[in-house]
């Protein structure tokens, strides 16, 4: 090979082996930056002669290298670095196999291993820089910018492995089901079933509004044809309540199912933004969509603000309802007075989390209109409607 440097020679000999692997990282503004692995071996370190030069004193001059290790697999080798190389937050000793979606830290600098066809065919928010130099601020610990299950989560947002359950909302006296609340569920084999766990994943990725939207769209399409004349309550995430995309989505759902009695549950934290709530209520009225204030009594929403923009329904938080029959007379009087004031505003009072007959009977005495909880119906698959 004469005087040709070994690294350049390897790139010339193995250029045909380029398989589209990239190292993806997160910039300060949370945008994605993907560095293409153009040849094997691919070296990472502080010196500029590395394939990926990371300007951080935490990295060794030649920190680690990545080589091909069979179809769809790579091998990561630590080159005796001072601050270590980590795979999925575990420090490696010597060498180990890595593959798609593995999280790799070179010292404290975090990357994710990703495959792609060519620039522009992956996430449109991912940037492929010309420079192979990474500028990073000093950091004391391992960051958590990526998740190994991010790709399955993207599939979930696209509609693969997403499910729906429904819980009945019944008349306080007749116990007839007048409405159903749609509850998202995960059915992707690589992801949790629990919506709470899925929203934890979404929060890490900053995609809570997208997950909320995916649950809502799937639920309305699945349950709408099955509920007959019953109302359908759908949830919203606080981050999406006042966004234009949320309204566009509702218009599309209304166009698909114009006769469906749709009720949007607005989180109680949005109630305090009176002007924005007034605008949202006007838009919903144009679409013939009613709305409910959710979790009332759990946080900062107050009755005088409910009076500014009255909702069609006010859902009393289950924390107020649980063991209400065994609560002090003072608490019972307060809840009963709140129900009376809700009625004066022209809203329907709905008690959430009713689990015992004693709670249900007291709610009836307090003149609640609707009940929801395990006593009158547990969440069930939409297919059982």
């Amino acid at each position: 090979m004469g005087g040709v440097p070994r690294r350049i020679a390897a790139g010339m000999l193995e250029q045909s082996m380029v398989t589209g692997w990239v190292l993806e990282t997160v910039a300060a503004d949370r945008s994605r930056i993907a560095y293409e692995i153009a040849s094997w071996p691919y070296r990472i370190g502080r010196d500029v002669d590395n394939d990926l030069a990371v300007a951080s004193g935490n990295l060794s001059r030649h920190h680690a290298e990545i080589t091909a290790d069979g179809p769809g697999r790579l091998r990561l080798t630590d080159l005796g670095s001072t601050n270590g190389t980590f795979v999925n937050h575990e420090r490696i000793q010597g060498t180990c196999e890595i593959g798609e979606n593995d999280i790799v830290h070179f010292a404290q600098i975090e990357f994710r291993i990703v495959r792609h066809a060519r620039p522009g065919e992956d996430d449109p928010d991912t940037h492929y820089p010309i420079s192979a130099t990474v500028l990073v601020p000093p950091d004391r610990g391992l960051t958590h910018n990526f998740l190994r299950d991010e790709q399955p989560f993207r599939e979930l947002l696209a509609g693969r492995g997403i499910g729906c359950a429904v819980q009945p909302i019944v008349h306080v006296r007749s116990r007839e089901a007048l409405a159903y609340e749609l509850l998202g569920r995960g059915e992707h084999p690589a992801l949790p079933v629990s919506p709470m766990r899925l929203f934890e994943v979404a929060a890490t990725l900053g995609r809570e509004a997208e997950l909320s939207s995916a649950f809502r769209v799937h639920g309305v399409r699945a349950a709408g044809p099955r509920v007959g004349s019953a109302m359908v309550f759908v949830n919203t995430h606080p981050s999406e309540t006042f966004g234009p995309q949320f309204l566009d989505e509702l218009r599309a759902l209304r166009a698909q199912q114009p006769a469906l009695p749709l009720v949007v549950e607005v989180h109680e934290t949005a109630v305090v933004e009176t002007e924005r709530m007034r605008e949202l209520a006007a838009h919903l009225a144009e679409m013939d969509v009613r709305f409910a204030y959710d979790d009332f009594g759990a946080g900062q929403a107050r009755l005088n603000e409910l009076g500014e923009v009255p909702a069609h329904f006010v859902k009393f938080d289950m924390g107020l309802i649980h063991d209400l029959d065994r609560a002090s007379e003072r608490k019972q009087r307060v809840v009963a007075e709140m129900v009376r004031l809700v009625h004066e505003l022209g809203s329907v009072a709905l008690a959430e989390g009713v689990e015992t007959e004693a709670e249900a009977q007291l709610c009836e005495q307090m003149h609640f209109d609707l009940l929801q909880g395990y006593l009158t119906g547990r969440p069930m698959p939409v297919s059982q409607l």
Side-chain angles (χ1 to χ4, degrees):
M1 299 296 293
V4 179
R6 189 199 64 79
R7 182 175 66 85
I8 297 177
M12 292 169 60
L13 289 172
E14 302 183 78
Q15 190 67 31
S16 61
M17 295 176 59
V18 174
T19 58
W21 291 97
V22 300
L23 284 173
E24 188 178 47
T25 189
V26 176
D29 63 357
R30 303 302 299 173
S31 63
R32 301 294 176 88
I33 302 176
Y35 294 90
E36 295 186 78
I37 298 177
S39 61
W40 313 118
Y42 187 83
R43 288 186 177 172
I44 303 95
R46 190 175 70 244
D47 279 6
V48 295
D49 64 343
N50 289 283
D51 298 278
L52 181 59
V54 183
S56 170
N58 292 325
L59 266 70
S60 298
R61 294 176 57 192
H62 298 97
H63 195 98
E65 74 175 18
I66 301 172
T67 55
D69 192 43
R73 299 296 300 177
L74 303 177
R75 180 161 292 276
L76 175 64
T77 302
D78 182 86
L79 300 177
S81 68
T82 301
N83 293 321
T85 300
F86 302 78
V87 175
N88 301 320
H89 297 87
E90 296 289 336
R91 186 166 184 169
I92 69 170
Q93 301 296 327
T95 183
C96 73
E97 274 194 354
I98 56 174
E100 188 166 18
N101 293 320
D102 278 337
I103 312 302
V104 177
H105 284 80
F106 305 110
Q108 290 80 30
I109 316 306
E110 183 178 7
F111 293 86
R112 184 176 62 153
I113 303 294
V114 184
R115 297 192 73 166
H116 79 112
R118 58 180 60 87
E121 292 190 1
D122 301 291
D123 190 333
D125 296 327
T126 300
H127 174 56
Y128 293 83
I130 297 175
S131 169
T133 300
V134 183
L135 298 177
V136 290
D139 199 341
R140 296 183 179 179
L142 299 184
T143 55
H144 292 75
N145 292 321
F146 295 108
L147 297 173
R148 293 193 69 191
D149 52 7
E150 183 170 349
Q151 183 57 38
F153 185 78
R154 291 183 181 183
E155 295 173 357
L156 181 77
L157 294 182
R160 177 187 168 192
I162 192 167
C164 176
V166 292
Q167 186 174 29
I169 297 171
V170 307
H171 189 276
V172 68
R173 289 187 297 275
S174 70
R175 308 291 173 89
E176 176 189 0
L178 302 180
Y180 295 92
E181 180 179 351
L182 303 187
L183 305 168
R185 295 290 186 267
E187 296 180 355
H188 196 292
L191 292 171
V193 173
S194 163
M196 184 177 297
R197 291 284 311 282
L198 289 171
F199 271 106
E200 290 174 0
V201 176
T204 302
L205 303 173
R207 307 185 81 162
E208 299 101 315
E210 293 176 68
L211 178 59
S212 176
S213 174
F215 278 145
R216 190 167 48 247
V217 170
H218 174 80
V220 169
R221 290 174 178 171
R226 295 173 174 267
V227 297
S229 60
M231 295 175 287
V232 170
F233 282 61
V234 295
N235 289 286
T236 60
H237 190 272
S239 65
E240 66 176 339
T241 306
F242 302 116
Q245 292 182 342
F246 173 60
L247 292 175
D248 290 342
E249 175 204 296
L250 287 180
R251 291 188 183 97
L253 291 175
R254 171 55 76 220
Q256 294 167 10
Q257 301 193 47
L260 182 67
L262 196 61
V263 181
V264 170
E265 295 193 18
V266 179
H267 193 269
E268 57 91 25
T269 55
V271 181
V272 298
E273 299 191 53
T274 305
E275 291 304 317
R276 301 182 78 183
M277 268 307 310
R278 187 174 285 112
E279 293 177 6
L280 175 62
H283 287 301
L284 295 176
E286 292 174 0
M287 291 182 271
D288 190 26
V289 173
R290 287 176 281 185
F291 68 99
Y293 288 139
D294 194 19
D295 296 332
F296 179 70
Q300 56 186 320
R302 299 186 294 271
L303 282 169
N304 64 320
E305 288 158 334
L306 293 183
E308 292 294 326
V309 190
H312 299 89
F313 303 87
V314 175
K315 301 185 73 173
F316 282 64
D317 183 72
M318 64 179 61
L320 288 176
I321 306 301
H322 182 64
D323 285 338
L324 184 58
D325 57 302
R326 292 188 280 182
S328 66
E329 290 186 9
R330 177 178 298 177
K331 179 179 178 180
Q332 291 180 2
R333 286 197 302 270
V334 168
V335 174
E337 181 64 12
M338 292 169 67
V339 173
R340 186 187 67 81
L341 292 172
V342 164
H343 285 156
E344 286 190 358
L345 295 172
S347 302
V348 174
L350 191 162
E352 282 193 284
V354 179
E355 297 186 354
T356 68
E357 188 61 41
E359 292 170 352
Q361 290 180 7
L362 184 56
C363 286
E364 182 177 351
Q365 294 173 20
M366 292 179 173
H367 304 294
F368 274 94
D369 304 288
L370 302 174
L371 304 178
Q372 181 179 359
Y374 283 1
L375 174 68
T376 55
R378 291 174 176 266
M380 58 183 174
V382 68
S383 59
Q384 293 183 11
L385 277 177

